[in-house]
Amino acid sequence: MGQEYKDINKEELDNLVTDEQLYEGKAKKVFATEDPNLVLVSYKDDATAFDGTKRGTIRGKGAVNNQMSNYLMNLLENEGIPTHLYKEVNETDTLVKHVDIIPLEVIVRNISAGSFANHYGVEEGIVFDQPTFEFSYKNDDLHDPLLNSSHALALKLATPEEIKTLREYALKVNDILKEFFLSCGVTLVDFKLEFGRTPDGTVILADEISPDTCRFWDVETGEKLDKDRFRRDLGNVEDAYQEMMHRIFG
Ligand code: TMP
């Protein structure tokens, strides 16, 4: 895969990216490129919640999620976490390394919220002494059920070594991002990561890190600055995404 694309111009990009759509998810489209090791991810403004039963549009979300995710992946890469990031090509589109996604949602929590609060019957906002680590099986038909490591092994979703790596990486990502967001006046409550395998079997961080996939609370006021504003009809959804952009990029 070519370093030669890193300073890609418009014409080279047009020649590289094909019209072949490999995948359309709820929030992104993925296009093939002429390089089998690279794909183009195009972030959409579409938002869904509760397994796609709630649908809407969050104006500007694609641009925010693309740029925020790339900024954070670059930060993590510099701290030793391998990621899929290759090159941002415009506000909403990024070239990333082609991986096979491991069908596990890797979730880390610092504070009780969302499904944790619901499952265990506790209020939101309890600060944990240590972060929690959990998997969900990435399977919409089954509603992404919670599962443990032995379930993941039984279902052959990952190898024992991969599970160890996912845990190590996710907890390191938490340490790095918690500190980073604190410097932006934001508490990192919880987040979901997805990882993929490169053709040589290396596990790297993939998907996105954005207000769609994290809970962000303002340090001072506790105001929610993430997709919970959409999920829970709290209003000012677009403003929250823009506010997170300002916190990171100034
Ligand atoms: P949860 O509390 O609903 O399990 O969510 C935990 C974290 O995972 C939260 O930061 C939001 C994120 N998340 C996703 O990225 N995708 C999803 O489909 C869900 C349900 C949660």
Side-chain angles (χ1 to χ4, degrees), residues 44-80:
K44 306 189 288 184
D45 286 351
D46 299 350
T48 67
F50 314 121
D51 287 332
T53 53
K54 180 180 173 74
R55 286 170 184 277
T57 302
I58 302 173
R59 236 175 333 109
K61 174 170 89 75
V64 169
N65 288 9
N66 180 49
Q67 292 168 75
M68 185 190 298
S69 192
N70 292 342
Y71 182 92
L72 298 173
M73 294 254 183
N74 185 54
L75 182 85
L76 293 169
E77 193 84 53
N78 289 336
E79 298 282 344

PDB file of all heavy atoms in Angstrom, residues 44-80:
ATOM      1  N   LYS A  44     -22.225   9.964   6.730  1.00  0.00           N
ATOM      2  CA  LYS A  44     -23.525  10.536   6.405  1.00  0.00           C
ATOM      3  C   LYS A  44     -24.074  11.339   7.600  1.00  0.00           C
ATOM      4  O   LYS A  44     -23.630  11.151   8.732  1.00  0.00           O
ATOM      5  CB  LYS A  44     -24.527   9.418   6.086  1.00  0.00           C
ATOM      6  CG  LYS A  44     -24.061   8.450   5.000  1.00  0.00           C
ATOM      7  CD  LYS A  44     -25.184   7.501   4.581  1.00  0.00           C
ATOM      8  CE  LYS A  44     -25.507   6.461   5.627  1.00  0.00           C
ATOM      9  NZ  LYS A  44     -26.525   5.492   5.172  1.00  0.00           N
ATOM     10  N   ASP A  45     -25.069  12.157   7.307  1.00  0.00           N
ATOM     11  CA  ASP A  45     -25.765  12.883   8.376  1.00  0.00           C
ATOM     12  C   ASP A  45     -26.892  12.046   8.978  1.00  0.00           C
ATOM     13  O   ASP A  45     -27.554  12.476   9.921  1.00  0.00           O
ATOM     14  CB  ASP A  45     -26.346  14.202   7.844  1.00  0.00           C
ATOM     15  CG  ASP A  45     -25.263  15.267   7.613  1.00  0.00           C
ATOM     16  OD1 ASP A  45     -24.099  15.040   8.020  1.00  0.00           O
ATOM     17  OD2 ASP A  45     -25.589  16.309   7.029  1.00  0.00           O
ATOM     18  N   ASP A  46     -27.142  10.866   8.419  1.00  0.00           N
ATOM     19  CA  ASP A  46     -28.238  10.023   8.913  1.00  0.00           C
ATOM     20  C   ASP A  46     -27.932   9.532  10.328  1.00  0.00           C
ATOM     21  O   ASP A  46     -26.803   9.161  10.627  1.00  0.00           O
ATOM     22  CB  ASP A  46     -28.412   8.765   8.044  1.00  0.00           C
ATOM     23  CG  ASP A  46     -28.762   9.103   6.608  1.00  0.00           C
ATOM     24  OD1 ASP A  46     -29.059  10.276   6.337  1.00  0.00           O
ATOM     25  OD2 ASP A  46     -28.734   8.190   5.767  1.00  0.00           O
ATOM     26  N   ALA A  47     -28.976   9.506  11.133  1.00  0.00           N
ATOM     27  CA  ALA A  47     -28.839   8.977  12.491  1.00  0.00           C
ATOM     28  C   ALA A  47     -29.926   7.952  12.745  1.00  0.00           C
ATOM     29  O   ALA A  47     -31.072   8.122  12.304  1.00  0.00           O
ATOM     30  CB  ALA A  47     -28.957  10.104  13.511  1.00  0.00           C
ATOM     31  N   THR A  48     -29.549   6.884  13.429  1.00  0.00           N
ATOM     32  CA  THR A  48     -30.552   5.915  13.859  1.00  0.00           C
ATOM     33  C   THR A  48     -30.294   5.592  15.324  1.00  0.00           C
ATOM     34  O   THR A  48     -29.207   5.836  15.844  1.00  0.00           O
ATOM     35  CB  THR A  48     -30.491   4.592  13.063  1.00  0.00           C
ATOM     36  OG1 THR A  48     -29.269   3.931  13.379  1.00  0.00           O
ATOM     37  CG2 THR A  48     -30.586   4.816  11.573  1.00  0.00           C
ATOM     38  N   ALA A  49     -31.312   5.055  15.957  1.00  0.00           N
ATOM     39  CA  ALA A  49     -31.145   4.562  17.328  1.00  0.00           C
ATOM     40  C   ALA A  49     -32.081   3.386  17.511  1.00  0.00           C
ATOM     41  O   ALA A  49     -32.992   3.182  16.700  1.00  0.00           O
ATOM     42  CB  ALA A  49     -31.452   5.649  18.348  1.00  0.00           C
ATOM     43  N   PHE A  50     -31.828   2.630  18.565  1.00  0.00           N
ATOM     44  CA  PHE A  50     -32.674   1.486  18.918  1.00  0.00           C
ATOM     45  C   PHE A  50     -32.825   0.551  17.715  1.00  0.00           C
ATOM     46  O   PHE A  50     -33.942   0.318  17.235  1.00  0.00           O
ATOM     47  CB  PHE A  50     -34.035   1.971  19.449  1.00  0.00           C
ATOM     48  CG  PHE A  50     -33.900   3.087  20.462  1.00  0.00           C
ATOM     49  CD1 PHE A  50     -34.483   4.331  20.256  1.00  0.00           C
ATOM     50  CD2 PHE A  50     -33.139   2.893  21.609  1.00  0.00           C
ATOM     51  CE1 PHE A  50     -34.321   5.365  21.178  1.00  0.00           C
ATOM     52  CE2 PHE A  50     -32.974   3.919  22.531  1.00  0.00           C
ATOM     53  CZ  PHE A  50     -33.573   5.155  22.317  1.00  0.00           C
ATOM     54  N   ASP A  51     -31.679   0.056  17.227  1.00  0.00           N
ATOM     55  CA  ASP A  51     -31.656  -0.876  16.090  1.00  0.00           C
ATOM     56  C   ASP A  51     -32.314  -0.304  14.846  1.00  0.00           C
ATOM     57  O   ASP A  51     -32.978  -1.027  14.101  1.00  0.00           O
ATOM     58  CB  ASP A  51     -32.370  -2.193  16.429  1.00  0.00           C
ATOM     59  CG  ASP A  51     -31.558  -3.035  17.371  1.00  0.00           C
ATOM     60  OD1 ASP A  51     -30.328  -2.917  17.352  1.00  0.00           O
ATOM     61  OD2 ASP A  51     -32.180  -3.804  18.123  1.00  0.00           O
ATOM     62  N   GLY A  52     -32.152   0.966  14.644  1.00  0.00           N
ATOM     63  CA  GLY A  52     -32.664   1.568  13.415  1.00  0.00           C
ATOM     64  C   GLY A  52     -34.148   1.864  13.446  1.00  0.00           C
ATOM     65  O   GLY A  52     -34.707   2.319  12.444  1.00  0.00           O
ATOM     66  N   THR A  53     -34.810   1.640  14.588  1.00  0.00           N
ATOM     67  CA  THR A  53     -36.256   1.908  14.636  1.00  0.00           C
ATOM     68  C   THR A  53     -36.529   3.409  14.730  1.00  0.00           C
ATOM     69  O   THR A  53     -37.583   3.876  14.310  1.00  0.00           O
ATOM     70  CB  THR A  53     -36.931   1.178  15.815  1.00  0.00           C
ATOM     71  OG1 THR A  53     -36.216   1.512  17.004  1.00  0.00           O
ATOM     72  CG2 THR A  53     -36.920  -0.324  15.614  1.00  0.00           C
ATOM     73  N   LYS A  54     -35.586   4.152  15.301  1.00  0.00           N
ATOM     74  CA  LYS A  54     -35.692   5.619  15.333  1.00  0.00           C
ATOM     75  C   LYS A  54     -34.730   6.165  14.295  1.00  0.00           C
ATOM     76  O   LYS A  54     -33.555   5.787  14.282  1.00  0.00           O
ATOM     77  CB  LYS A  54     -35.317   6.114  16.733  1.00  0.00           C
ATOM     78  CG  LYS A  54     -35.391   7.622  16.927  1.00  0.00           C
ATOM     79  CD  LYS A  54     -34.992   7.970  18.368  1.00  0.00           C
ATOM     80  CE  LYS A  54     -34.878   9.460  18.584  1.00  0.00           C
ATOM     81  NZ  LYS A  54     -36.174  10.132  18.655  1.00  0.00           N
ATOM     82  N   ARG A  55     -35.245   7.018  13.420  1.00  0.00           N
ATOM     83  CA  ARG A  55     -34.422   7.531  12.331  1.00  0.00           C
ATOM     84  C   ARG A  55     -34.503   9.036  12.272  1.00  0.00           C
ATOM     85  O   ARG A  55     -35.549   9.616  12.569  1.00  0.00           O
ATOM     86  CB  ARG A  55     -34.920   6.984  10.977  1.00  0.00           C
ATOM     87  CG  ARG A  55     -34.564   5.544  10.777  1.00  0.00           C
ATOM     88  CD  ARG A  55     -35.265   4.944   9.570  1.00  0.00           C
ATOM     89  NE  ARG A  55     -34.939   3.548   9.520  1.00  0.00           N
ATOM     90  CZ  ARG A  55     -33.824   3.053   8.993  1.00  0.00           C
ATOM     91  NH1 ARG A  55     -32.956   3.871   8.403  1.00  0.00           N
ATOM     92  NH2 ARG A  55     -33.569   1.771   9.012  1.00  0.00           N
ATOM     93  N   GLY A  56     -33.415   9.640  11.818  1.00  0.00           N
ATOM     94  CA  GLY A  56     -33.432  11.090  11.650  1.00  0.00           C
ATOM     95  C   GLY A  56     -32.188  11.554  10.931  1.00  0.00           C
ATOM     96  O   GLY A  56     -31.383  10.747  10.482  1.00  0.00           O
ATOM     97  N   THR A  57     -32.074  12.862  10.815  1.00  0.00           N
ATOM     98  CA  THR A  57     -30.898  13.471  10.205  1.00  0.00           C
ATOM     99  C   THR A  57     -30.337  14.469  11.205  1.00  0.00           C
ATOM    100  O   THR A  57     -31.102  15.205  11.830  1.00  0.00           O
ATOM    101  CB  THR A  57     -31.310  14.224   8.918  1.00  0.00           C
ATOM    102  OG1 THR A  57     -31.935  13.301   8.047  1.00  0.00           O
ATOM    103  CG2 THR A  57     -30.099  14.824   8.229  1.00  0.00           C
ATOM    104  N   ILE A  58     -29.027  14.429  11.345  1.00  0.00           N
ATOM    105  CA  ILE A  58     -28.368  15.421  12.193  1.00  0.00           C
ATOM    106  C   ILE A  58     -27.457  16.221  11.265  1.00  0.00           C
ATOM    107  O   ILE A  58     -26.414  15.711  10.823  1.00  0.00           O
ATOM    108  CB  ILE A  58     -27.571  14.743  13.335  1.00  0.00           C
ATOM    109  CG1 ILE A  58     -28.505  13.872  14.195  1.00  0.00           C
ATOM    110  CG2 ILE A  58     -26.849  15.790  14.172  1.00  0.00           C
ATOM    111  CD1 ILE A  58     -27.787  13.020  15.252  1.00  0.00           C
ATOM    112  N   ARG A  59     -27.896  17.467  10.940  1.00  0.00           N
ATOM    113  CA  ARG A  59     -27.164  18.262   9.958  1.00  0.00           C
ATOM    114  C   ARG A  59     -25.723  18.500  10.400  1.00  0.00           C
ATOM    115  O   ARG A  59     -25.486  18.887  11.549  1.00  0.00           O
ATOM    116  CB  ARG A  59     -27.863  19.607   9.732  1.00  0.00           C
ATOM    117  CG  ARG A  59     -28.206  19.851   8.278  1.00  0.00           C
ATOM    118  CD  ARG A  59     -29.004  21.123   8.069  1.00  0.00           C
ATOM    119  NE  ARG A  59     -29.786  21.497   9.234  1.00  0.00           N
ATOM    120  CZ  ARG A  59     -29.510  22.543  10.021  1.00  0.00           C
ATOM    121  NH1 ARG A  59     -28.485  23.323   9.762  1.00  0.00           N
ATOM    122  NH2 ARG A  59     -30.279  22.806  11.059  1.00  0.00           N
ATOM    123  N   GLY A  60     -24.775  18.197   9.517  1.00  0.00           N
ATOM    124  CA  GLY A  60     -23.364  18.426   9.832  1.00  0.00           C
ATOM    125  C   GLY A  60     -22.696  17.284  10.579  1.00  0.00           C
ATOM    126  O   GLY A  60     -21.490  17.318  10.830  1.00  0.00           O
ATOM    127  N   LYS A  61     -23.469  16.251  10.926  1.00  0.00           N
ATOM    128  CA  LYS A  61     -22.906  15.147  11.722  1.00  0.00           C
ATOM    129  C   LYS A  61     -21.797  14.404  10.983  1.00  0.00           C
ATOM    130  O   LYS A  61     -20.764  14.065  11.573  1.00  0.00           O
ATOM    131  CB  LYS A  61     -24.016  14.155  12.120  1.00  0.00           C
ATOM    132  CG  LYS A  61     -23.499  12.893  12.816  1.00  0.00           C
ATOM    133  CD  LYS A  61     -24.620  12.070  13.403  1.00  0.00           C
ATOM    134  CE  LYS A  61     -25.221  11.048  12.461  1.00  0.00           C
ATOM    135  NZ  LYS A  61     -24.386   9.849  12.243  1.00  0.00           N
ATOM    136  N   GLY A  62     -22.009  14.176   9.677  1.00  0.00           N
ATOM    137  CA  GLY A  62     -21.006  13.433   8.913  1.00  0.00           C
ATOM    138  C   GLY A  62     -19.650  14.115   8.972  1.00  0.00           C
ATOM    139  O   GLY A  62     -18.620  13.464   9.190  1.00  0.00           O
ATOM    140  N   ALA A  63     -19.664  15.430   8.807  1.00  0.00           N
ATOM    141  CA  ALA A  63     -18.410  16.195   8.814  1.00  0.00           C
ATOM    142  C   ALA A  63     -17.772  16.177  10.205  1.00  0.00           C
ATOM    143  O   ALA A  63     -16.558  16.030  10.344  1.00  0.00           O
ATOM    144  CB  ALA A  63     -18.670  17.628   8.357  1.00  0.00           C
ATOM    145  N   VAL A  64     -18.597  16.323  11.232  1.00  0.00           N
ATOM    146  CA  VAL A  64     -18.063  16.302  12.604  1.00  0.00           C
ATOM    147  C   VAL A  64     -17.454  14.932  12.907  1.00  0.00           C
ATOM    148  O   VAL A  64     -16.319  14.828  13.383  1.00  0.00           O
ATOM    149  CB  VAL A  64     -19.173  16.628  13.641  1.00  0.00           C
ATOM    150  CG1 VAL A  64     -18.690  16.352  15.063  1.00  0.00           C
ATOM    151  CG2 VAL A  64     -19.638  18.071  13.498  1.00  0.00           C
ATOM    152  N   ASN A  65     -18.207  13.873  12.635  1.00  0.00           N
ATOM    153  CA  ASN A  65     -17.729  12.536  13.002  1.00  0.00           C
ATOM    154  C   ASN A  65     -16.474  12.162  12.233  1.00  0.00           C
ATOM    155  O   ASN A  65     -15.551  11.549  12.789  1.00  0.00           O
ATOM    156  CB  ASN A  65     -18.832  11.500  12.773  1.00  0.00           C
ATOM    157  CG  ASN A  65     -19.948  11.621  13.797  1.00  0.00           C
ATOM    158  OD1 ASN A  65     -19.984  12.567  14.572  1.00  0.00           O
ATOM    159  ND2 ASN A  65     -20.854  10.674  13.800  1.00  0.00           N
ATOM    160  N   ASN A  66     -16.430  12.511  10.951  1.00  0.00           N
ATOM    161  CA  ASN A  66     -15.246  12.213  10.151  1.00  0.00           C
ATOM    162  C   ASN A  66     -14.018  12.906  10.737  1.00  0.00           C
ATOM    163  O   ASN A  66     -13.000  12.266  11.032  1.00  0.00           O
ATOM    164  CB  ASN A  66     -15.485  12.692   8.712  1.00  0.00           C
ATOM    165  CG  ASN A  66     -14.308  12.421   7.800  1.00  0.00           C
ATOM    166  OD1 ASN A  66     -13.787  11.306   7.760  1.00  0.00           O
ATOM    167  ND2 ASN A  66     -13.879  13.434   7.063  1.00  0.00           N
ATOM    168  N   GLN A  67     -14.135  14.217  10.953  1.00  0.00           N
ATOM    169  CA  GLN A  67     -12.953  14.983  11.375  1.00  0.00           C
ATOM    170  C   GLN A  67     -12.562  14.680  12.820  1.00  0.00           C
ATOM    171  O   GLN A  67     -11.377  14.567  13.139  1.00  0.00           O
ATOM    172  CB  GLN A  67     -13.206  16.468  11.162  1.00  0.00           C
ATOM    173  CG  GLN A  67     -13.294  16.786   9.669  1.00  0.00           C
ATOM    174  CD  GLN A  67     -13.822  18.183   9.376  1.00  0.00           C
ATOM    175  OE1 GLN A  67     -13.127  19.168   9.539  1.00  0.00           O
ATOM    176  NE2 GLN A  67     -15.073  18.263   8.984  1.00  0.00           N
ATOM    177  N   MET A  68     -13.558  14.493  13.681  1.00  0.00           N
ATOM    178  CA  MET A  68     -13.246  14.167  15.075  1.00  0.00           C
ATOM    179  C   MET A  68     -12.595  12.791  15.164  1.00  0.00           C
ATOM    180  O   MET A  68     -11.582  12.598  15.845  1.00  0.00           O
ATOM    181  CB  MET A  68     -14.508  14.200  15.936  1.00  0.00           C
ATOM    182  CG  MET A  68     -14.189  13.984  17.405  1.00  0.00           C
ATOM    183  SD  MET A  68     -15.616  13.726  18.470  1.00  0.00           S
ATOM    184  CE  MET A  68     -16.481  15.228  18.276  1.00  0.00           C
ATOM    185  N   SER A  69     -13.178  11.838  14.454  1.00  0.00           N
ATOM    186  CA  SER A  69     -12.653  10.479  14.501  1.00  0.00           C
ATOM    187  C   SER A  69     -11.207  10.442  14.003  1.00  0.00           C
ATOM    188  O   SER A  69     -10.343   9.799  14.614  1.00  0.00           O
ATOM    189  CB  SER A  69     -13.539   9.569  13.650  1.00  0.00           C
ATOM    190  OG  SER A  69     -13.225   8.235  13.891  1.00  0.00           O
ATOM    191  N   ASN A  70     -10.944  11.154  12.927  1.00  0.00           N
ATOM    192  CA  ASN A  70      -9.584  11.161  12.382  1.00  0.00           C
ATOM    193  C   ASN A  70      -8.596  11.815  13.345  1.00  0.00           C
ATOM    194  O   ASN A  70      -7.481  11.330  13.523  1.00  0.00           O
ATOM    195  CB  ASN A  70      -9.558  11.873  11.028  1.00  0.00           C
ATOM    196  CG  ASN A  70     -10.298  11.072   9.974  1.00  0.00           C
ATOM    197  OD1 ASN A  70     -10.540   9.871  10.151  1.00  0.00           O
ATOM    198  ND2 ASN A  70     -10.664  11.723   8.889  1.00  0.00           N
ATOM    199  N   TYR A  71      -9.049  12.910  13.958  1.00  0.00           N
ATOM    200  CA  TYR A  71      -8.176  13.585  14.932  1.00  0.00           C
ATOM    201  C   TYR A  71      -7.811  12.614  16.070  1.00  0.00           C
ATOM    202  O   TYR A  71      -6.644  12.491  16.461  1.00  0.00           O
ATOM    203  CB  TYR A  71      -8.893  14.826  15.494  1.00  0.00           C
ATOM    204  CG  TYR A  71      -8.049  15.593  16.464  1.00  0.00           C
ATOM    205  CD1 TYR A  71      -7.240  16.638  16.050  1.00  0.00           C
ATOM    206  CD2 TYR A  71      -8.037  15.254  17.822  1.00  0.00           C
ATOM    207  CE1 TYR A  71      -6.437  17.324  16.951  1.00  0.00           C
ATOM    208  CE2 TYR A  71      -7.237  15.934  18.726  1.00  0.00           C
ATOM    209  CZ  TYR A  71      -6.449  16.968  18.281  1.00  0.00           C
ATOM    210  OH  TYR A  71      -5.653  17.630  19.177  1.00  0.00           O
ATOM    211  N   LEU A  72      -8.815  11.906  16.570  1.00  0.00           N
ATOM    212  CA  LEU A  72      -8.591  11.007  17.707  1.00  0.00           C
ATOM    213  C   LEU A  72      -7.775   9.781  17.302  1.00  0.00           C
ATOM    214  O   LEU A  72      -6.905   9.325  18.053  1.00  0.00           O
ATOM    215  CB  LEU A  72      -9.930  10.589  18.322  1.00  0.00           C
ATOM    216  CG  LEU A  72     -10.763  11.747  18.898  1.00  0.00           C
ATOM    217  CD1 LEU A  72     -12.132  11.256  19.321  1.00  0.00           C
ATOM    218  CD2 LEU A  72     -10.035  12.409  20.078  1.00  0.00           C
ATOM    219  N   MET A  73      -8.042   9.254  16.115  1.00  0.00           N
ATOM    220  CA  MET A  73      -7.274   8.085  15.650  1.00  0.00           C
ATOM    221  C   MET A  73      -5.797   8.468  15.490  1.00  0.00           C
ATOM    222  O   MET A  73      -4.905   7.684  15.829  1.00  0.00           O
ATOM    223  CB  MET A  73      -7.824   7.573  14.321  1.00  0.00           C
ATOM    224  CG  MET A  73      -9.234   7.007  14.439  1.00  0.00           C
ATOM    225  SD  MET A  73      -9.285   5.217  14.362  1.00  0.00           S
ATOM    226  CE  MET A  73     -11.056   4.933  14.450  1.00  0.00           C
ATOM    227  N   ASN A  74      -5.558   9.674  14.977  1.00  0.00           N
ATOM    228  CA  ASN A  74      -4.179  10.134  14.829  1.00  0.00           C
ATOM    229  C   ASN A  74      -3.495  10.255  16.198  1.00  0.00           C
ATOM    230  O   ASN A  74      -2.354   9.818  16.385  1.00  0.00           O
ATOM    231  CB  ASN A  74      -4.184  11.485  14.089  1.00  0.00           C
ATOM    232  CG  ASN A  74      -2.780  11.964  13.803  1.00  0.00           C
ATOM    233  OD1 ASN A  74      -1.986  11.240  13.213  1.00  0.00           O
ATOM    234  ND2 ASN A  74      -2.463  13.154  14.262  1.00  0.00           N
ATOM    235  N   LEU A  75      -4.234  10.803  17.159  1.00  0.00           N
ATOM    236  CA  LEU A  75      -3.726  10.909  18.536  1.00  0.00           C
ATOM    237  C   LEU A  75      -3.380   9.523  19.086  1.00  0.00           C
ATOM    238  O   LEU A  75      -2.308   9.299  19.664  1.00  0.00           O
ATOM    239  CB  LEU A  75      -4.825  11.556  19.383  1.00  0.00           C
ATOM    240  CG  LEU A  75      -4.577  11.848  20.837  1.00  0.00           C
ATOM    241  CD1 LEU A  75      -3.878  13.189  20.959  1.00  0.00           C
ATOM    242  CD2 LEU A  75      -5.904  11.917  21.600  1.00  0.00           C
ATOM    243  N   LEU A  76      -4.280   8.574  18.884  1.00  0.00           N
ATOM    244  CA  LEU A  76      -4.074   7.217  19.410  1.00  0.00           C
ATOM    245  C   LEU A  76      -2.902   6.526  18.705  1.00  0.00           C
ATOM    246  O   LEU A  76      -2.101   5.833  19.345  1.00  0.00           O
ATOM    247  CB  LEU A  76      -5.352   6.384  19.243  1.00  0.00           C
ATOM    248  CG  LEU A  76      -6.525   6.855  20.112  1.00  0.00           C
ATOM    249  CD1 LEU A  76      -7.815   6.159  19.687  1.00  0.00           C
ATOM    250  CD2 LEU A  76      -6.239   6.592  21.588  1.00  0.00           C
ATOM    251  N   GLU A  77      -2.833   6.711  17.399  1.00  0.00           N
ATOM    252  CA  GLU A  77      -1.738   6.140  16.606  1.00  0.00           C
ATOM    253  C   GLU A  77      -0.390   6.604  17.195  1.00  0.00           C
ATOM    254  O   GLU A  77       0.525   5.805  17.380  1.00  0.00           O
ATOM    255  CB  GLU A  77      -1.908   6.608  15.159  1.00  0.00           C
ATOM    256  CG  GLU A  77      -1.079   5.888  14.138  1.00  0.00           C
ATOM    257  CD  GLU A  77      -1.666   4.576  13.631  1.00  0.00           C
ATOM    258  OE1 GLU A  77      -2.817   4.539  13.175  1.00  0.00           O
ATOM    259  OE2 GLU A  77      -0.917   3.583  13.690  1.00  0.00           O
ATOM    260  N   ASN A  78      -0.321   7.904  17.517  1.00  0.00           N
ATOM    261  CA  ASN A  78       0.913   8.470  18.079  1.00  0.00           C
ATOM    262  C   ASN A  78       1.212   7.911  19.465  1.00  0.00           C
ATOM    263  O   ASN A  78       2.344   8.000  19.941  1.00  0.00           O
ATOM    264  CB  ASN A  78       0.833  10.002  18.145  1.00  0.00           C
ATOM    265  CG  ASN A  78       0.903  10.612  16.764  1.00  0.00           C
ATOM    266  OD1 ASN A  78       1.438  10.005  15.834  1.00  0.00           O
ATOM    267  ND2 ASN A  78       0.341  11.803  16.610  1.00  0.00           N
ATOM    268  N   GLU A  79       0.212   7.345  20.113  1.00  0.00           N
ATOM    269  CA  GLU A  79       0.400   6.739  21.444  1.00  0.00           C
ATOM    270  C   GLU A  79       0.546   5.224  21.341  1.00  0.00           C
ATOM    271  O   GLU A  79       0.458   4.521  22.346  1.00  0.00           O
ATOM    272  CB  GLU A  79      -0.791   7.085  22.347  1.00  0.00           C
ATOM    273  CG  GLU A  79      -0.972   8.563  22.612  1.00  0.00           C
ATOM    274  CD  GLU A  79       0.001   9.111  23.647  1.00  0.00           C
ATOM    275  OE1 GLU A  79       0.611   8.316  24.384  1.00  0.00           O
ATOM    276  OE2 GLU A  79       0.152  10.341  23.681  1.00  0.00           O
ATOM    277  N   GLY A  80       0.692   4.708  20.129  1.00  0.00           N
ATOM    278  CA  GLY A  80       1.007   3.285  19.974  1.00  0.00           C
ATOM    279  C   GLY A  80      -0.169   2.364  19.700  1.00  0.00           C
ATOM    280  O   GLY A  80      -0.008   1.144  19.712  1.00  0.00           O
TER     281      GLY A  80
END
